[in-house]
């Protein structure tokens, strides 16, 4: 980095200003000992420029650039951070400070013996470089070129160049220099345009023209031109200097400067006959410099503000006035004599500097051995530093970057940067001495500096009688509080004192509670006194003269006091302020202060005492404290019920229970019958809008509906029951119990006391007392209401009929209106003519209802015919079913002789069997075994019962089981008797006789359901008991007659038939598929591994 090449002459590194980012240091203000503690940082309310260095840092700092020059340095120029050095070897060294590690060296193709390099010129953008030599040979180098090009038409030694700054800084891609002015050594001014764009038919020299020649033919050491205004050029100002003269050329611009053409010809043409403005400072100096200071120099449209001209007699400087209508555009021109320098101990000589640079506040002078800085505000020397150069080293000049505002000193062998570190260090003090306090405050760096300025400013204002401004200055300084207050009291300016106290209060620390309270209270007294004073003046002078201005002043003062209350309410004691305000009789301020501090209760009390009810309600509505609603509700509800209820409705957070005492007051005051009851209005909002479910609130609303006044009085008109009935019908109900939140018993009792018949009927119906509701409606003669209530118990038809009979009795017996009774029957489908006939008198004439009786008899006859038709259809259906049953008995299925049992797979014909329509076949005992597994518990219990009864009915018959071979199948054999019980029954010999005992042994202690019930069923015993009514081949028939005789009793046949129906109701294989759907594949106790593949 190029910054690494820069170091201080003493060894410390120095950073160039364009990279400077030092820490900002601020010094806090501490009041001197003995102050009252009311002062904080005296400068916290003033904005000052950013401090880039410590307050006591030097104004400038000189740093050496560490760079090895290939040859002695002749000329140096810098602009927009582009640095160019010309060496005696005719070599150009270019370094861009943003890429300082890249050093570009370009050789001019001329030997030192052929051309001696004289000066370098660079435009503000840093893209165009012109090199001139002592021999009058000139070269042009563009930033992107690798070698320079000779300007063959330029046959002069160039001393100065004026660039078109606005055009060059406006575009970063511009290859043309646009119009420039060249000051030559022969005293001639040239206008030229150079363009770096490659064009085969054009050279870089677009044109070169002499526009003016100075009469004395002295070298033009400085030249500068500016358009005004920059955005719309209409005039042109050209400044030209020689060693002894300065010229001013001003005039209109004939054509736009953005057009490549001859712009200056017309301007200088007008001075060929008339001489320009000339100032001559005679001297023997053969050189001079013209330098400018431009604020915001990086902006293309910025214009120079001040100029400085180095002459033999001193520094001629002033400000440039582009708008001047006279010939002289240099205002406040002065000649600064050069300072005396200590060339040796005890001796001071006045020497002419070699070069000059202008900063914002200083003239930087370069001598052959040192650099000196002179403040341009007071012409005093503020900086001097000896240049660390060798005896053989020649100091050449001082260069300034016009865009980046950096300053460089170059010698034949070295390069230094003059860093502006703390240029405005003493500026505040200079302005303070001049009495420019506002400007001094802008440049004050520390709080102590600002404090000194403010004190001096306050004293100056006070001496001049500007007490208000003096108070402001004293308030922001560390001036003694007591001293300032006494001063202002002595002069009697209470307005200034008030301003001072406000400023001190604003700057007093919040932790100083006592001081802030004292100041704030004192200020309130000042405000109130001033308001009263203005009131007195207005009252005294309102007749004699116009007092509108005084009224405006009073209005402003009152607004200021209101704002003061809002800002400093935390620093005021409310009781003290109340006493102050009341002592001055300022009711408006009294109410405003109470509102500001939130003391709404006091405001409401005031308006109630004034009987301003609506204002009191408005105050309550604007605040958030609910207690005020409860506290003043009783008073306001009596005086302004509608507005009070409106405010309650707008505040849903209110607890309606606490407003009950207020609402009850409405029962004791007279009310306009045409206006709504405000208590009912509020309670309706609470119940239906806010969804309050409190029984108390619901009962209270019911009370107001029944008796708006106290004590309750009977209703004068049934129309009054409308709102009450609407409430009873639409009142919210409990979602769990379905009952309303109000007390039904209380409501009924209240309605009875008030004589509200319809509401009582409605409440009876809500209580489910239908009889009472109908009786009460009939008692009051309201037949329609009775009918409505009679139809309410929709799910209880007998009760409805009973209620309608009550109504019918009332119509027939009480009204004695036979025709009305007949019309009454048309309103219900529950009663017939025969139901109400008992209510008619014994000797009533039948003519009135003869037609109705005839219609009833005709209806009965038609109904009888319908029943007879239905009975005939049922008889026919029964006969058809009997025929189907008889046909089923003759149904048969053919089976093969080798058919096997679907359960045990043995031959089917070996013993008694069953065949199902699904073609599954089972032995009787196999069927019993399978059936008992899926039959339900009630069927199993019935089978066990039948088994026990059949065993009791059949005595034991000893039999012998024959052996049946396959060859004997098909012919009759004696039917052998089988052993009915298995050997598991042990000593039981006769299973038929002891079947019950066996069953009892198996089923001892067993309940009548489940698997243990199945153990009571003995398949062999049941198989012997169930016999087929016809002969079955293979089963034998030798003893059939004997067996049938034994089992032929009617009771046994009935039991067998029932048992047979239970066993054969479903095929066990087909039924087991359906029954086993919910059973697991792996039975309890079965190993899961048995399912492993």
């Amino acid at each position: 980095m190029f910054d690494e090449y820069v170091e201080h002459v003493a060894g410390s590194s120095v950073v160039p200003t364009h990279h400077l980012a030092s820490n900002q240091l601020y010094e806090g203000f501490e009041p001197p000992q003995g102050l009252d503690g009311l002062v904080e940082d005296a400068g916290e309310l003033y904005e000052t420029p950013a401090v880039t260095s410590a307050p006591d840092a030097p104004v400038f700092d000189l740093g050496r650039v560490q760079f090895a020059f290939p040859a002695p340095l002749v000329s140096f120029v810098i602009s927009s951070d582009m640095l160019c050095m010309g060496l005696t070897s005719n070599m150009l060294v270019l370094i861009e400070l943003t890429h300082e590690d890249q050093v570009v060296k370009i050789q001019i193709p001329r030997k030192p013996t052929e051309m001696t390099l004289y000066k370098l010129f660079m435009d503000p953008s840093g893209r165009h470089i012109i090199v001139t030599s002592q021999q009058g040979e000139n070269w042009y180098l563009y930033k992107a070129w690798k070698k320079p090009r000779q300007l063959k038409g330029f046959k002069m030694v160039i001393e100065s160049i004026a660039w078109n700054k606005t055009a060059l800084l406006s575009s970063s891609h511009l290859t043309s220099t646009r119009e420039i002015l060249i000051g030559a050594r022969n005293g001639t001014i040239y206008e030229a345009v150079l363009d770096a764009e490659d064009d085969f038919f054009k050279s870089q020299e677009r044109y070169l023209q002499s526009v003016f020649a100075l009469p004395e033919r002295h070298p033009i050491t400085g030249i500068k031109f500016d358009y005004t205004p920059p955005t719309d050029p209409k005039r042109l100002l050209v400044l030209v200097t020689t060693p002894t003269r300065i010229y001013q050329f001003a005039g209109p611009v004939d054509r736009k400067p953005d057009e490549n053409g001859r712009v200056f010809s017309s301007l200088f043409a007008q001075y060929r006959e008339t001489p320009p403005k000339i100032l001559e400072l005679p001297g023997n100096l053969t050189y001079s410099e013209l330098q400018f200071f431009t604020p915001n120099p990086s902006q293309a449209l910025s214009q120079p503000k001040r100029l400085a001209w180095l002459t033999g007699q001193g520094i001629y400087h002033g400000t440039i006035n582009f708008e001047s209508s006279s010939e002289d555009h240099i205002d406040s021109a002065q000649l600064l004599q050069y300072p005396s320098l200590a060339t040796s101990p005890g001796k001071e000589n006045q020497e002419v500097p070699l070069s000059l640079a202008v900063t914002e506040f200083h003239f930087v002078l370069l001598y052959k051995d040192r650099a000196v800085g002179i403040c341009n505000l007071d012409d005093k020397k503020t900086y001097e530093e000896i240049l660390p150069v060798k005896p053989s080293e020649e100091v050449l000049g001082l260069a300034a970057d016009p865009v980046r505002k950096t300053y460089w000193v170059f010698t034949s062998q070295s390069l230094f940067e003059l860093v502006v570190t703390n240029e405005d260090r003493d500026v505040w003090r200079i302005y303070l001495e001049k009495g420019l306090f506002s400007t001094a405050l802008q440049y004050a760096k520390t709080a102590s500096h600002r404090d000194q300025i403010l004190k001096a400013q306050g004293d100056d204002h006070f001496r001049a009688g500007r007490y208000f401004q003096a108070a402001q200055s004293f308030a922001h300084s560390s001036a003694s509080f007591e001293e300032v207050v006494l001063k202002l009291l002595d002069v009697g300016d209470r307005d200034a004192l008030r301003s001072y106290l406000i400023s001190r209060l604003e700057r007093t620390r919040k932790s100083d509670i006592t001081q802030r309270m004292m100041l704030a209270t004192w200020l309130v007294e000042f405000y109130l006194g001033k308001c009263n004073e203005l009131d007195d003046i207005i009252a005294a002078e309102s007749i004699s003269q116009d007092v509108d201005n005084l009224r405006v002043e009073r209005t402003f003062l009152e607004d200021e006091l209101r704002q003061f209350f809002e800002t400093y309410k935390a620093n005021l004691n409310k009781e003290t302020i109340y006493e102050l305000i009341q002592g001055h009789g300022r009711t408006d301020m009294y109410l405003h202060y109470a509102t500001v501090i939130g003391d709404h209760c006091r405001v409401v009390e005031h308006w109630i005492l004034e009987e301003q009810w609506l204002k009191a309600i408005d105050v309550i509505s604007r605040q958030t404290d609910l207690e005020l609603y409860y506290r003043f509700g009783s008073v306001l509800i009596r005086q302004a019920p509608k507005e009070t209820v409106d405010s309650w409705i707008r505040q849903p957070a209110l607890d309606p229970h606490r407003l009950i005492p207020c609402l009850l007051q409405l029962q004791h005051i007279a009310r306009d019958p045409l206006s709504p009851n405000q208590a009912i209005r509020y309670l309706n909002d609470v119940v239906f809008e806010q969804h309050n479910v409190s029984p108390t609130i619901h009962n209270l609303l019911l009370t107001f509906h029944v008796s708006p006044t106290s004590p309750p009085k009977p209703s004068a008109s049934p129309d009054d029951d409308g709102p009450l009935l609407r409430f009873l019908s639409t009142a919210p109900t409990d979602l769990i119990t379905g009952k309303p939140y109000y007390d039904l018993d209380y409501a009924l009792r209240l309605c009875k006391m008030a004589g509200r018949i319809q509401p009582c009927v409605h409440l009876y119906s809500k209580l489910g007392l239908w009889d009472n509701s109908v009786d009460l409606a009939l008692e009051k003669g309201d037949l329609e209401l009775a009918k409505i209530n009679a139809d309410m118990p929709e799910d209880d038809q007998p009760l409805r009929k009973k209620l309608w009979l009550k109504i019918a009795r009332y119509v027939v017996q009480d009204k004695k209106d036979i025709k009305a009774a007949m019309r009454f029957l048309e309103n219900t489908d529950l009663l017939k003519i025969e139901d109400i006939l008992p209510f008619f008198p014994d000797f009533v004439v039948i003519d009135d209802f003869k037609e109705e009786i005839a219609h009833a008899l005709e209806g009965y006859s038609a109904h009888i015919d319908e029943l007879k038709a239905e009975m005939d259809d049922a008889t026919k259906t029964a006969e058809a079913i009997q025929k189907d049953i008889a046909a089923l008995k003759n149904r048969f299925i053919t089976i093969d002789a080798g058919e096997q049992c679907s359960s045990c797979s043995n031959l089917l014909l070996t013993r008694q069997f069953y065949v199902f329509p699904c073609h599954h076949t089972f032995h009787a005992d196999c069927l019993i075994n399978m059936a008992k597994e899926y039959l339900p518990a009630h069927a199993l219990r019935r089978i066990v019962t039948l088994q026990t009864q059949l065993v009791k009915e059949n005595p034991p018959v000893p039999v012998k089981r024959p052996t049946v071979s396959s060859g004997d199948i098909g012919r009759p054999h004696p039917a052998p008797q089988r052993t009915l019980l298995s050997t598991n029954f042990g000593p039981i010999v006769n299973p038929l006789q002891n079947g019950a005992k066996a069953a009892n042994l198996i089923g001892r202690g067993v309940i009548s359901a489940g698997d243990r019930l199945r153990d009571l069923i003995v398949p062999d015993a049941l198989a012997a008991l169930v016999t087929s009514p016809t002969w079955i081949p293979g089963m034998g028939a030798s003893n059939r007659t004997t067996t049938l005789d034994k089992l032929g009793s009617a009771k046994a046949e009935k039991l067998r038939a029932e048992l047979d129906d239970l066993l054969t109701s479903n095929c066990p294989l087909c039924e087991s598929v359906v029954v086993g759907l919910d059973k697991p594949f792996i039975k309890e106790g079965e190993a899961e591994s048995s399912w492993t593949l």
Side-chain angles (χ1 to χ4, degrees), residues 273-284:
E273 301 297 334
T274 303
K277 172 67 177 176
I278 303 174
L279 174 66
E280 184 173 5
L281 296 176
N284 299 324

Side-chain angles (χ1 to χ4, degrees), residues 371-382:
V372 176
I374 299 176
C375 181
N376 55 27
L377 299 177
D378 59 356
D379 300 340
K380 293 181 179 179
K381 182 172 64 176
T382 58

Side-chain angles (χ1 to χ4, degrees), residues 500-544:
Y500 174 73
L501 294 177
I502 291 175
S503 299
R504 292 303 294 263
L505 178 60
E506 290 174 351
R507 299 176 56 253
T508 304
R509 292 186 297 268
K510 292 184 178 181
S511 58
D512 297 334
I513 300 175
T514 304
Q515 289 90 333
R516 291 178 68 88
M517 183 176 295
M518 292 173 61
L519 288 173
T521 305
W522 196 3
L523 281 168
V524 172
E525 173 67 24
F526 274 125
Y527 276 115
L528 295 174
K530 184 65 175 179
C531 289
N532 287 348
E533 180 183 345
L534 291 175
D535 287 342
D536 295 340
I537 296 174
I538 292 172
E541 300 181 0
S542 59
I543 300 176
S544 60

Side-chain angles (χ1 to χ4, degrees), residues 639-674:
Q639 305 298 333
K642 180 182 181 303
E643 291 77 8
T644 303
V645 169
D646 288 340
S647 67
W648 291 355
I649 292 175
R650 288 193 298 266
Q651 183 55 267
L654 288 172
D655 183 5
H657 293 87
R658 299 186 62 180
L659 295 174
I660 290 176
C662 306
L663 294 171
L664 291 177
Q665 292 197 24
L666 292 177
Q667 287 189 314
H668 303 282
I669 61 176
R671 180 175 62 86
D672 184 3
L674 298 179

